[in-house]
Amino acid sequence: MAKKTLSTGICYLVGAGPGDPGLLTIKGKECIAAADVLVYDYLVNIEILRHGKPDVERIYVGKKAGDHTLPQEEINKLIVKLTREGKTVTRLKGGDPVLFGRGAEEAAELAEAGVRFEIVPGITSAIAGPAYAGIPITHRSHASQLTIFTGHEDPTKSETSLNYAKLAQAEGTKVFLMGVERMEEITGELIKHGAKAETPMALVRWATTGRQQTLVATLGTMAQKVKETGFKAPAVAVVGDVVTERDNINWFENRPLFGKRIVVTRTRQQAGVLSRQLADLGADVIELPTIRIEEPNDLLSFGELVQDCHKYDWIVFTSPNGVDAFFTMFDKLYNDARSIGGARIACIGPGTAEKIKARHLAVDLMPEKDFVAEGLVKAFKDKHDIENQTILWVKAEETREVIANGLTGLRAIVDEAVAYRTVAEREDNLEALARLKNEGADMITFTSAATVDHFLELGVALPENCEIASIGPVTSKALKKHELPIAVEAKSYTIPGLVEAIRKHFAK
Ligand code: SAH
């Protein structure tokens, strides 16, 4: 029996799910949020690490390119040591932590060391993988029994402990993991022991992610097909009549952008919204942040202008980043939402307006459809007399002067509050760059002129046949300046507008 312990440290052995970041449990998410240290494996989707605290320590123990995984004994020692130090350690393992995941061994080490631990089950690839390929692992008319086994046993064991005779005779569905490399042997043994060669079979690779691939064959033909197509691990294998259900319910791979690899170049913080919408339509998204938002060089002046914001007739916001920077400063200066006074608020477009509304402030003016600086100036011109009115324009350091010139032209008095700077993102994108180089992409998205300029600064070649999508005319202008061909330009210059344009483009 595990010893009772009062140690302050705790280790959560968490199932991270099969890949789709939405398939993490709520408890798993809470464990990530509570962690001082995250220890994670190769098959864990690193997107879920975002739920961690900003300063959380991350330790990767999976295999690196060409490299081997940290040996299991070292991992055991590591998590025991960290937990003993009094830390909250969240150990993330792909799928479920104990299903062919050596979670039990880690638990035993923690128990032996007398430190606290908990096991948080996860959604296993053995069930979710087939489900995302439109294959239910049981079915009233096909299978009422499920057998799960591993195709890759402990290589130090001399003889297989798999009893192929019994496996072959098992009723219902069979699922095996880690079997791609030994496909010929496994399917051969099953057939040799009486399984029917014509039993339907599927392999699902990188299941539940945008790069999912499914190969359908029979028990008798799969090994050959794997060779022919060069199909690689990691994949879940599923054998049984349930595979035929895929013909009717292949929901995941039928989504409009499935099979399209799309690059998102916005800041890491902002990428989420666009990535999510593309992924929801089935795209395989590579986040390659090219820019990062930083404080303005003259933070003091910005602070002074924010402090005086209630003295203005209008406050004009021309980007969501500006709204964020403004209210971060505002909240430092004031404890009362009313300190913004009676100033009216104008926004360049819906994304910016949404941020304002999230603060429970109403937007008094926004262009009807032309969500660029020119559109906002026109909206003022059409709807308001701003002669002699005072305007505080919250802007990026490098923004075009259209607003200042336009509003001054309408005889307003404009003060410019430089709220942030856009700089090149140099960290955090090694993996994305590697994927771009190795796997290519179907489309790259640009959501501002800055993303264009900074992408080009990275000096990365655009993959072959990679098309370009632009959020609107200002971004397109930056692309044209560099003679880059634009395949898609959003009709509505917003993130949903861009997503819709991309969907339409690929529907053709
Ligand atoms: N504990 C994990 C399995 C770990 S063993 C779970 O419950 O899912 C690793 C094997 O799991 C891989 O070789 C592969 O067979 C399978 N696997 C894990 N994630 C997968 C995914 N997203 N797509 C396909 N196979 C996956």
Side-chain angles (χ1 to χ4, degrees):
M1 213 182 92
K3 295 173 203 149
K4 281 243 162 77
T5 158
L6 296 169
S7 66
T8 52
I10 185 164
C11 182
Y12 297 106
L13 297 168
V14 176
D20 178 344
L23 293 182
L24 173 70
T25 65
I26 292 172
K27 184 149 185 187
K29 183 176 164 186
E30 285 168 1
C31 293
I32 295 174
D36 300 311
V37 195
L38 299 171
V39 181
Y40 61 104
D41 275 353
Y42 173 56
L43 285 170
V44 170
N45 185 340
I46 57 165
E47 252 183 67
I48 65 171
L49 305 186
R50 276 195 202 154
H51 301 304
K53 294 187 273 203
D55 56 343
V56 68
E57 187 184 350
R58 295 173 173 200
I59 304 178
Y60 179 65
V61 295
K63 60 177 164 191
K64 304 211 172 69
D67 234 30
H68 274 293
T69 331
L70 198 65
Q72 188 63 46
E73 306 80 71
E74 298 294 318
I75 298 176
N76 296 347
K77 273 193 208 141
L78 177 70
I79 58 176
V80 165
K81 173 177 158 279
L82 292 167
T83 314
R84 276 214 175 115
E85 286 168 5
K87 291 182 174 149
T88 298
V89 181
T90 295
R91 164 76 174 118
L92 292 157
K93 300 169 81 70
D96 180 86
V98 298
L99 187 80
F100 308 136
R102 307 188 74 168
E105 291 164 52
E106 295 179 17
E109 290 281 335
L110 292 159
E112 174 66 32
V115 294
R116 288 195 300 154
F117 68 94
E118 289 183 17
I119 297 177
V120 181
I123 294 182
T124 178
S125 64
I127 294 175
Y132 271 52
I135 303 167
I137 39 135
T138 71
H139 191 283
R140 264 160 57 103
S141 43
H142 302 300
S144 45
Q145 181 177 321
L146 168 67
T147 308
I148 301 177
F149 64 98
T150 167
H152 178 93
E153 293 172 279
D154 187 342
T156 57
K157 273 197 267 177
S158 57
E159 264 173 50
T160 173
S161 62
L162 286 174
N163 184 332
Y164 281 109
K166 286 213 172 117
L167 279 174
Q169 262 124 55
E171 301 280 328
T173 309
K174 298 176 189 55
V175 169
F176 59 94
L177 305 183
M178 297 178 277
V180 180
E181 278 89 8
R182 297 173 57 194
M183 196 52 66
E184 197 164 352
E185 181 185 335
I186 297 164
T187 53
E189 288 289 329
L190 289 173
I191 293 169
K192 195 170 106 194
H193 288 93
K196 286 205 188 81
E198 52 280 7
T199 316
M201 174 168 185
L203 283 181
V204 195
R205 174 170 198 256
W206 285 120
T208 80
T209 73
R211 42 176 167 163
Q212 173 170 313
Q213 278 175 334
T214 304
L215 192 63
V216 179
T218 64
L219 193 57
T221 59
M222 187 56 95
Q224 183 60 27
K225 219 165 173 181
V226 165
K227 266 195 210 144
E228 280 167 18
T229 55
F231 202 84
K232 294 261 157 14
V236 181
V238 51
V239 183
D241 289 338
V242 287
V243 171
T244 58
E245 286 300 311
R246 175 174 160 84
D247 296 340
N248 307 319
I249 60 168
N250 183 14
W251 61 278
F252 186 72
E253 296 170 13
N254 284 341
R255 294 170 310 156
L257 295 182
F258 185 78
K260 301 289 175 219
R261 195 170 301 120
I262 302 182
V263 184
V264 169
T265 55
R266 311 178 91 193
T267 65
R268 180 72 73 200
Q269 290 67 34
Q270 283 190 308
V273 188
L274 176 55
S275 307
R276 189 59 201 257
Q277 292 188 22
L278 293 171
D280 282 347
L281 290 172
D284 178 12
V285 178
I286 300 182
E287 284 188 5
L288 175 67
T290 56
I291 53 172
R292 193 159 39 118
I293 301 304
E294 287 203 342
E295 288 181 340
N297 283 319
D298 191 352
L299 195 60
L300 194 65
S301 299
F302 178 55
E304 282 170 3
L305 288 164
V306 175
Q307 190 161 29
D308 285 345
C309 63
H310 56 272
K311 295 182 183 158
Y312 288 84
D313 296 310
W314 284 92
I315 306 175
V316 172
F317 292 98
T318 46
S319 70
N321 286 322
V323 180
D324 284 343
F326 179 90
F327 284 105
T328 303
M329 180 57 81
F330 183 89
D331 290 342
K332 274 189 201 145
L333 296 168
Y334 294 113
N335 279 321
D336 186 342
R338 288 168 296 187
S339 305
I340 199 164
R344 283 190 279 180
I345 294 177
C347 288
I348 195 164
T352 307
E354 223 166 82
K355 290 262 179 193
I356 293 291
K357 288 176 198 156
R359 298 279 311 198
H360 297 283
L361 291 166
V363 175
D364 301 287
L365 183 70
M366 191 176 92
E368 258 156 40
K369 58 182 199 327
D370 212 13
F371 307 132
V372 288
E374 290 80 358
L376 186 56
V377 171
K378 183 164 185 304
F380 268 111
K381 190 172 166 217
D382 293 347
K383 298 216 175 100
H384 294 276
D385 177 10
I386 50 172
E387 182 164 354
N388 286 329
Q389 300 232 313
T390 52
I391 295 183
L392 182 64
W393 173 28
V394 181
K395 55 169 280 196
E397 205 149 276
E398 50 288 315
T399 309
R400 300 178 305 143
E401 288 304 312
V402 177
I403 296 278
N405 294 342
L407 299 185
T408 319
L410 298 171
R411 298 178 180 282
I413 300 141
V414 181
D415 283 340
E416 297 185 21
V418 176
Y420 63 94
R421 266 180 324 139
T422 308
V423 300
E425 175 62 278
R426 298 243 174 262
E427 294 154 36
D428 224 18
N429 52 20
L430 284 180
E431 200 178 308
L433 285 172
R435 280 200 68 196
L436 194 62
K437 199 165 146 232
N438 298 333
E439 301 169 34
D442 299 289
M443 181 163 274
I444 181 164
T445 60
F446 292 103
T447 47
S448 67
T451 58
V452 177
D453 295 339
H454 290 292
F455 173 77
L456 290 168
E457 259 176 48
L458 285 175
V460 195
L462 268 188
E464 227 177 294
N465 299 325
C466 180
E467 296 185 299
I468 294 176
S470 155
I471 197 168
V474 180
T475 304
S476 295
K477 202 170 155 202
L479 286 162
K480 283 175 197 149
K481 197 176 73 196
H482 298 286
E483 289 171 13
L484 291 166
I486 300 157
V488 173
E489 188 186 272
K491 286 229 159 53
S492 164
Y493 318 144
T494 61
I495 294 299
L498 178 61
V499 172
E500 178 56 17
I502 293 172
R503 193 187 65 74
K504 279 213 179 108
H505 176 76
F506 284 117
K508 274 185 216 149

PDB file of all heavy atoms in Angstrom, residues 35 108 136 428:
ATOM      1  N   ALA A  35       0.816  24.053 -11.753  1.00  0.00           N
ATOM      2  CA  ALA A  35       2.174  23.495 -11.703  1.00  0.00           C
ATOM      3  C   ALA A  35       3.279  24.540 -11.543  1.00  0.00           C
ATOM      4  O   ALA A  35       3.196  25.639 -12.079  1.00  0.00           O
ATOM      5  CB  ALA A  35       2.425  22.687 -12.970  1.00  0.00           C
ATOM      6  N   ALA A 108       4.669   4.230  -9.045  1.00  0.00           N
ATOM      7  CA  ALA A 108       5.304   3.350  -8.061  1.00  0.00           C
ATOM      8  C   ALA A 108       6.554   4.009  -7.464  1.00  0.00           C
ATOM      9  O   ALA A 108       6.802   3.912  -6.255  1.00  0.00           O
ATOM     10  CB  ALA A 108       5.667   2.016  -8.713  1.00  0.00           C
ATOM     11  N   PRO A 136     -16.099   3.933 -34.800  1.00  0.00           N
ATOM     12  CA  PRO A 136     -16.455   3.719 -33.394  1.00  0.00           C
ATOM     13  C   PRO A 136     -15.894   2.370 -32.952  1.00  0.00           C
ATOM     14  O   PRO A 136     -16.038   1.386 -33.675  1.00  0.00           O
ATOM     15  CB  PRO A 136     -17.981   3.682 -33.428  1.00  0.00           C
ATOM     16  CG  PRO A 136     -18.312   3.176 -34.806  1.00  0.00           C
ATOM     17  CD  PRO A 136     -17.190   3.570 -35.717  1.00  0.00           C
ATOM     18  N   ASP A 428      11.099  31.105 -29.735  1.00  0.00           N
ATOM     19  CA  ASP A 428       9.852  30.386 -29.645  1.00  0.00           C
ATOM     20  C   ASP A 428       9.331  29.859 -30.970  1.00  0.00           C
ATOM     21  O   ASP A 428       8.215  29.408 -31.037  1.00  0.00           O
ATOM     22  CB  ASP A 428       8.784  31.342 -29.063  1.00  0.00           C
ATOM     23  CG  ASP A 428       7.958  30.628 -28.022  1.00  0.00           C
ATOM     24  OD1 ASP A 428       8.441  29.596 -27.555  1.00  0.00           O
ATOM     25  OD2 ASP A 428       6.859  31.088 -27.716  1.00  0.00           O
TER      26      ASP A 428
END
